[in-house]
């Protein structure tokens, strides 16, 4: 009884994240834009300290924007990982916690490798963009959540024995 409840809860979580997180990520991005708009009259760069300290330690208004953007990015990452898991659970991944995923998908042999590549490249591109924008919290989120998710997806057993 307990193992079946756990499998159902995991699939329910990823299914709901797949269905809802894209909307929550858009709301988070909208909130980050509103924080950016509300702080437009405030300083974005500290006025005191060495140039290196001013670069590394942004002003409080910019830190609020960075935190809001990090939450939106995390929700977007959760949606992306959920999409990979939910779409792969339909005949590609054979993990015990997914239950019986159905018949083998003959077109899905490269799915796992493609999704791992997608998660890694999304991490590097979004992390690099966050670093260029001095959004340190967002960069940490992007460079930790997506690569760890890629490792997790790469560890899944598939029908193809990859």
């Amino acid at each position: 009884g307990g193992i079946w409840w756990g499998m159902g809860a995991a699939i329910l979580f990823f299914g709901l994240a797949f269905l809802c997180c894209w909307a929550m990520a858009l709301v988070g991005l909208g909130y980050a834009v509103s924080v950016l708009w509300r702080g437009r009259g405030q300083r974005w760069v500290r006025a005191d300290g060495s140039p290196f300290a001013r670069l590394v330690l942004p002003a409080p208004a910019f830190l609020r924007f960075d935190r809001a953007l990090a939450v939106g990015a995390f929700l977007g990452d959760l949606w992306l990982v959920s999409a990979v898991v939910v779409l792969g659970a339909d005949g590609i991944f054979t993990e015990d916690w997914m239950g019986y995923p159905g018949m083998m998908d003959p077109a899905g042999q490269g799915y796992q490798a493609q999704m791992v590549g997608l998660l890694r490249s999304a991490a590097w591109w979004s992390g690099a963009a966050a670093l260029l924008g001095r959004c340190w919290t967002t960069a940490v989120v992007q460079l930790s959540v997506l690569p760890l998710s890629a490792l997790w997806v790469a560890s899944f057993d598939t029908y193809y024995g990859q």
Side-chain angles (χ1 to χ4, degrees):
I3 187 92
W4 292 107
W5 184 86
M7 289 188 299
I11 290 299
L12 178 65
F13 171 76
F14 284 112
L16 288 175
F18 176 60
L19 293 174
C20 300
C21 275
W22 64 271
M24 291 189 303
L26 288 177
V27 168
L29 181 61
Y31 178 73
V33 168
S34 75
V35 167
L36 186 65
W37 181 256
R38 285 191 316 247
R40 70 187 180 281
Q42 300 174 8
R43 288 185 159 271
W44 289 96
V45 179
R46 292 188 185 270
D48 54 343
S50 70
F52 179 74
R54 288 191 305 242
L55 175 71
V56 173
L57 301 171
F62 193 77
L63 288 174
R64 283 191 297 275
F65 166 70
D66 185 19
R67 285 191 302 265
L69 187 62
V71 170
F74 176 76
L75 291 170
D77 295 346
L78 183 58
W79 175 81
L80 183 60
V81 172
S82 296
V84 168
V85 170
V86 168
L87 296 176
D90 188 25
I92 295 170
F93 299 135
T94 60
E95 292 296 306
D96 289 338
W97 58 269
M98 289 184 183
Y100 180 70
M103 297 299 291
M104 177 176 63
D105 182 2
Q109 190 165 4
Y111 179 80
Q112 184 179 29
Q114 291 168 354
M115 294 302 105
V116 168
L118 171 77
L119 291 171
R120 286 180 179 159
S121 63
W124 291 115
W125 282 105
S126 60
L131 286 173
L132 286 175
R134 294 185 326 126
C135 296
W136 310 129
T137 309
T138 305
V140 167
V141 167
Q142 293 303 95
L143 294 175
S144 60
V145 172
L146 289 175
L148 290 174
S149 299
L151 286 173
W152 182 58
V153 169
S155 73
F156 287 175
D157 290 328
T158 66
Y159 279 108
Y160 305 101
Q162 292 178 340

